[in-house]
Amino acid sequence: MYRASAIGTLNGQEPMSKKILFLSALDFKEKSIQVIRKTPEAFRDAGWEVRYIVARDNLPRGNYGYEAEINPAGIRVERFAWPLARLRNTQAGRALSYVWTKIASLAVVLQLALRGAQALRREAADVIYGYEVQGVLAARLLKMVGASGGALVVHRFQGTSVTEMLEGRQRVRQLVNLDQILALRSACDLVIMTDDGTKGNEALRRVGSRAANLRFWVNGADEPKELQPTQEFRRRLGVGPDELVLVSVSRLAGWKRVDRGLAIAEELKRLGVAFVYLVVGGGSEYERLERLSRDLGIADQVIFTGPVPQSDVYDYMNAADVFISTYDMSNVGNPLLEAIRMGKLIVTLRNGATGDWITHGQSGLIYDPSQDISQVAASDIARLVRDAAWADELRKGVRAVARERLWTWRDRMNAEVSDVEMLLEK
């Protein structure tokens, strides 16, 4: 039985505010993954009282080394640091660092559950929302030990690598990522899996998810507002009037494979195409990719921006002619969706469910990830430079995809809040 305060009245007065408690190991970001912040803000904007308990990973080489702490108005944030920072930052080898990270992750789950129990003793919640693996496991712990207070339990995943592990029968990888599998299996009232091309709905089915309800939704992508004038922005970047502008937007992590984009750029130079390649984002691969651009002889044609606020990302995207995304798993992340929304010429890989969005020669250029694509992709891009009619055809195709398939962020978040509220009313 869910808490009556969510829908009831008190002595004939107006209904009490609904209350939601988030448990997460993902802190708010300004320079990537906007949905982490958009979710609690959507509940706040719908009149909910929102608490957000979060473990922040402050490792210098981690995802928050370049992110300031954010405390959104109207959201009560309780923040603590991931433990074992010195051990996880060890230079003794990746394997040892990984082991310490797994131990720290377990400690984060226990800490989130403990802090969640304490928060619920102080003030009950109508909904407990476990965000990603650590938050989901913490929410499940609260339910198992009877500390949830009868709250509706929601689990949320931003995608998953488990599908790839299962399809590839990667037994060792499955074993060391048992926490992910347990989180996907965990019972809850509602599980929300992002349709990011990693086929998370299939992973939930194959691991035997015990969720009572499933929502499999793609993220939103808004039409950017207040863009800087394109030519003026390009001039400030030092881009010539006849130069082709390529862009990649991502955290610079190994599996994002920005090196593939650099290889394409090298081939474009060999073909005599005048271009500038904008690599937008920061991360652990930044220095290695800079060195690679020098080794390939294209350093003068590549601009590494470092991490930039999301509002500025749109200006870089707007300035570009071609968007490149060549991740290892799936490419249906927010940058690709934003490129579709903005009608860009898209170069990507046919992995995960990316092929459901991009059709080669119709709405973009998409290639077999098992092959070295640098030469064929560069050749096709060079053809787009020469063949304006084909380039226009691809832009029309990708705009059609945007019209038919994309949500705005408002629509996406309204659907989530509405579904949670309907479950409370049952």
Side-chain angles (χ1 to χ4, degrees):
M1 179 70 75
Y2 304 133
R3 293 184 53 79
S5 65
I7 56 174
T9 60
L10 184 62
N11 297 327
Q13 299 176 8
E14 288 298 311
M16 297 168 62
S17 296
K18 295 178 284 291
K19 299 175 181 179
I20 186 168
L21 173 66
F22 285 85
L23 304 173
S24 176
L26 297 177
D27 206 350
F28 304 126
K29 289 190 169 189
E30 174 58 30
K31 300 179 176 68
S32 64
I33 317 183
Q34 298 300 294
V35 69
I36 300 173
R37 180 173 174 178
K38 288 182 182 293
T39 305
E41 287 183 333
F43 282 92
R44 176 204 63 193
D45 294 344
W48 289 60
E49 292 183 23
V50 180
R51 289 175 287 171
Y52 197 93
I53 301 177
V54 60
R56 181 183 178 90
D57 190 353
N58 289 314
L59 281 189
R61 60 182 175 83
N63 296 336
Y64 292 90
Y66 51 81
E67 294 273 2
E69 288 188 4
I70 298 171
N71 295 294
I75 296 174
R76 288 182 283 165
V77 180
E78 180 182 331
R79 184 177 282 115
F80 64 96
W82 270 62
L84 307 178
R86 183 177 299 178
L87 293 169
R88 290 187 293 117
N89 202 36
T90 179
Q91 302 301 313
R94 291 181 59 185
L96 189 57
S97 176
Y98 184 80
V99 169
W100 285 118
T101 298
K102 281 295 185 182
I103 294 171
S105 176
L106 176 58
V108 166
V109 171
L110 297 175
Q111 182 83 286
L112 283 171
L114 177 61
R115 288 172 179 258
Q118 292 170 342
L120 291 169
R121 282 199 295 270
R122 292 191 299 268
E123 184 179 357
D126 299 291
V127 174
I128 299 171
Y129 194 118
Y131 202 112
E132 267 298 339
V133 173
Q134 292 85 4
V136 164
L137 293 175
R140 182 60 185 152
L141 269 179
L142 291 177
K143 186 76 171 179
M144 289 173 62
V145 302
S148 63
L152 183 96
V153 178
V154 177
H155 292 170
R156 169 66 173 278
F157 298 95
Q158 296 180 157
T160 182
S161 59
V162 169
T163 317
E164 181 184 55
M165 299 178 206
L166 295 173
E167 289 181 344
R169 298 183 179 181
Q170 301 168 357
R171 305 301 186 198
V172 173
R173 195 174 168 205
Q174 291 173 38
L175 181 63
V176 298
N177 288 283
L178 187 59
D179 54 343
Q180 293 188 42
I181 294 172
L182 290 174
L184 291 171
R185 279 180 50 84
S186 294
C188 62
D189 300 292
L190 170 66
V191 61
I192 301 170
M193 172 65 74
T194 300
D195 179 5
D196 69 337
T198 57
K199 297 186 277 189
N201 58 335
E202 178 67 12
L204 288 166
R205 183 190 67 80
R206 292 182 65 164
V207 302
S209 170
R210 292 175 290 161
N213 297 278
L214 165 65
R215 299 293 182 270
F216 186 54
W217 286 328
V218 71
N219 280 338
D222 291 334
E223 196 75 49
K225 300 176 182 178
E226 299 180 0
L227 290 169
Q228 299 185 47
T230 305
Q231 294 306 319
E232 179 183 326
F233 190 76
R234 286 168 65 115
R235 280 196 300 271
R236 288 210 306 271
L237 292 172
V239 177
D242 298 322
E243 288 184 305
L244 180 75
V245 179
L246 318 170
V247 68
S248 292
V249 178
S250 74
R251 180 167 52 86
L252 302 185
W255 69 275
K256 303 280 189 174
R257 296 301 303 273
V258 175
D259 58 298
R260 287 181 173 133
L262 294 174
I264 293 170
E266 180 193 25
E267 287 295 324
L268 284 173
K269 182 175 181 177
R270 188 181 63 79
L271 292 172
V273 176
F275 71 90
V276 173
Y277 184 17
L278 308 176
V279 178
V280 180
S284 59
E285 291 283 287
Y286 187 96
E287 293 181 358
R288 188 186 75 83
L289 292 168
E290 273 196 321
R291 288 196 303 272
L292 180 59
S293 71
R294 292 194 294 270
D295 294 343
L296 295 175
I298 56 173
D300 291 342
Q301 292 153 286
V302 180
I303 298 173
F304 290 91
T305 70
V308 301
Q310 182 64 28
S311 56
D312 294 342
V313 168
Y314 292 123
D315 287 312
Y316 288 99
M317 295 271 280
N318 185 54
D321 305 294
V322 177
F323 172 82
I324 300 175
S325 179
T326 54
Y327 300 174
D328 271 340
M329 282 196 297
S330 168
N331 288 275
V332 193
N334 272 46
L336 180 74
L337 300 181
E338 288 159 0
I340 291 173
R341 176 69 78 188
M342 298 177 76
K344 295 297 165 183
L345 298 170
I346 290 170
V347 176
T348 190
L349 298 179
R350 191 180 292 103
N351 51 15
T354 314
D356 293 344
W357 290 82
I358 302 299
T359 301
H360 189 76
Q362 297 181 29
S363 54
L365 304 173
I366 185 167
Y367 304 97
D368 183 346
S370 67
Q371 301 177 3
D372 180 354
I373 69 163
S374 55
Q375 291 186 5
V376 64
S379 177
D380 285 342
I381 293 170
R383 179 189 162 192
L384 288 171
V385 174
R386 300 189 305 269
D387 189 344
W390 190 39
D392 285 343
E393 182 182 333
L394 295 192
R395 290 190 188 96
K396 288 178 183 176
V398 80
R399 289 191 182 105
V401 173
R403 286 193 305 271
E404 294 165 7
R405 298 197 58 184
L406 283 182
W407 295 30
T408 65
W409 271 117
R410 178 180 226 177
D411 290 341
R412 164 64 185 82
M413 298 316 306
N414 282 349
E416 179 168 335
V417 173
S418 175
D419 274 17
V420 171
E421 291 182 339
M422 283 193 294
L423 283 175
L424 278 174
E425 292 173 2
K426 287 184 178 179

